[in-house]
Amino acid sequence: DGADVEAHFAAVIAADQKIEPRDWMPEAYRKGLVRQIAQHAHSEIIGMQPEGNWLTRAPSLARKAILLAKVQDEAGHGLYLYAAAETLGVQRDELYRMLLSGRQKYSSIFNYPTVTWADVGAIGWLVDGAAIVNQVPLCRCSYGPYARAMIRICKEESFHQRQGFDILYTLARGTDEQRAMAQDAVDRWWYPSLAMFGPPDAESTHSARSMAWKIKRFSNDELRQKFVDMTVQQAGVLGLTLPDDALAYDAGSGHWRYTAPDFAELAEVIAGNGPCNRQRIDHRRRAYDDGAWVRESAAAYAAKRAREAVP
Ligand code: ACO
């Protein structure tokens, strides 16, 4: 009965085991997961645009092949995540439409423009670096299909982060102009990358509940700090500077002190007023409309097969 299934759910969470699609779950748990997984899937798909912008202008055949593979991986991530969301009783098409109508969100980070080739490096190094810090703990998320999708995604993200680092490493050792281009990209992507982790803990509406349910394992600020600590060291290897004069190692806590991103800007970008919000959604809408004939053909074919199957 009701009390039994609720007790089972609580016991599974307490024992750090997985909730599966067949299991009873509180409605707020299901809705919260749909919200987060859909937002995550949308981010992967929208995230193809800023880098896709450089596919035809990559500086060599090798760089082009690598970038092409990377952008295709993002499409794959979107698809695993939509499939994970579908186990919660929603349809992919319904989620697409929520994205296009603005009822569901995607990550703020993809609303910034990629103006030079070095931006592709900075996205790989910083944005995918931040994504890994955020997503590795999601491999231990309490919802089985989401946790399992994250394992492969994190492996691919690691390759993405390395390719970004490699682009910046090469530019940083190139001509003065190339070095300046790399530094300029890092200057522009640093704070938006810090903002990706979401609002500060005190303003994070979903954190407390998501952590109690073991969907999130760390708070937004904890993950942001982890990212700063990791990235400062890597910047040293690159020979590039992070644009924050306040960065200082605090021996007492073992962490780097840093200047927080501008959360008012994050709120503006989330509200739809970032530099590229309009362009990103318009592009997605066009792709959706252009694909209408494929969906219609597939549906007509499925209907025909179903009719033929009737004895
Ligand atoms: N961009 C857009 N919206 C954001 C962002 C952001 N960077 N950060 C927070 N928000 C939104 C939240 O979705 C929430 O709005 P909603 O209630 O309408 O959904 C609101 O701001 C308040 O934030 P929180 O309560 O802190 O939200 P949450 O607990 O879900 O934490 C986080 C946000 C950390 C992004 C979480 O959802 C998460 O870990 N998601 C999975 C990872 C992901 O989506 N990464 C983006 C893709 S990264 C990549 O593809 C390279």
Side-chain angles (χ1 to χ4, degrees):
D1 63 12
D4 278 353
V5 290
E6 276 180 50
H8 175 74
F9 176 83
V12 169
I13 299 286
D16 257 336
Q17 289 171 350
K18 301 290 179 225
I19 298 294
E20 297 297 339
R22 63 172 181 268
D23 295 332
W24 179 88
M25 59 189 86
E27 186 54 16
Y29 177 86
R30 192 188 71 81
K31 279 206 170 120
L33 276 169
V34 169
R35 176 192 67 82
Q36 177 169 329
I37 300 173
Q39 175 174 316
H40 194 165
H42 299 327
S43 303
E44 302 284 355
I45 299 295
I46 296 270
M48 295 168 76
Q49 292 182 46
E51 291 172 290
N53 178 37
W54 281 91
L55 280 175
T56 57
R57 292 173 291 157
S60 71
L61 181 61
R63 292 287 183 202
K64 180 171 177 155
I66 293 166
L67 184 59
L68 197 55
K70 195 221 156 181
V71 172
Q72 285 176 343
D73 284 350
E74 307 293 358
H77 297 175
L79 296 181
Y80 318 147
L81 288 165
Y82 285 124
E86 285 189 318
T87 65
L88 292 159
V90 290
Q91 297 293 313
R92 193 194 301 178
D93 197 53
E94 191 184 332
L95 301 179
Y96 282 160
R97 275 184 257 174
M98 301 250 264
L99 167 68
L100 297 181
S101 66
R103 273 176 300 154
Q104 281 180 346
K105 297 179 170 139
Y106 61 90
S107 180
S108 53
I109 193 73
F110 301 117
N111 293 304
Y112 291 87
T114 42
V115 293
T116 72
W117 169 252
D119 288 9
V120 175
I123 291 183
W125 180 45
L126 294 174
V127 175
D128 295 322
I132 292 169
V133 170
N134 166 271
Q135 292 173 22
V136 165
L138 291 174
C139 297
R140 293 191 295 118
C141 152
S142 59
Y143 187 58
Y146 192 26
R148 288 189 290 272
M150 291 319 300
I151 293 171
R152 174 162 172 185
I153 291 178
C154 285
K155 287 186 180 160
E156 293 178 349
E157 291 295 355
S158 302
F159 154 65
H160 298 172
Q161 201 256 359
R162 283 298 299 269
Q163 67 89 39
F165 185 90
D166 185 64
I167 289 173
L168 291 180
Y169 192 87
T170 305
L171 290 174
R173 275 148 196 77
T175 63
D176 287 350
E177 211 180 341
Q178 286 170 326
R179 206 191 138 66
M181 196 196 279
Q183 183 61 56
D184 167 65
V186 170
D187 290 348
R188 283 180 293 106
W189 287 91
W190 173 246
Y191 284 106
S193 299
L194 289 183
M196 268 175 80
F197 292 92
D201 291 351
E203 289 158 37
S204 166
T205 39
H206 302 291
S207 277
R209 197 145 72 165
S210 286
M211 289 184 59
W213 276 333
K214 298 184 180 169
I215 295 171
K216 274 170 107 157
R217 297 286 183 156
F218 298 97
S219 75
N220 296 359
D221 288 329
E222 283 170 341
L223 292 174
R224 201 169 358 251
Q225 181 69 59
K226 212 180 255 227
F227 173 68
V228 171
D229 292 343
M230 176 186 101
T231 310
V232 169
Q233 290 189 346
Q234 295 179 4
V237 178
L238 283 173
L240 296 172
T241 311
L242 298 174
D244 182 357
D245 293 337
L247 269 179
Y249 188 68
D250 180 53
S253 66
H255 294 298
W256 285 82
R257 273 189 247 120
Y258 66 97
T259 306
D262 179 352
F263 290 114
E265 176 179 323
L266 174 65
E268 271 298 296
V269 176
I270 295 178
N273 304 318
C276 300
N277 294 60
R278 244 332 260 287
Q279 180 185 333
R280 301 294 184 235
I281 280 292
D282 284 353
H283 184 88
R284 207 52 243 145
R285 253 187 216 126
R286 222 167 24 246
Y288 187 77
D289 292 345
D290 288 350
W293 70 272
V294 179
R295 294 189 296 276
E296 283 159 18
S297 312
Y301 182 68
K304 181 177 153 213
R305 290 295 297 266
R307 274 196 309 275
E308 285 168 0
V310 176

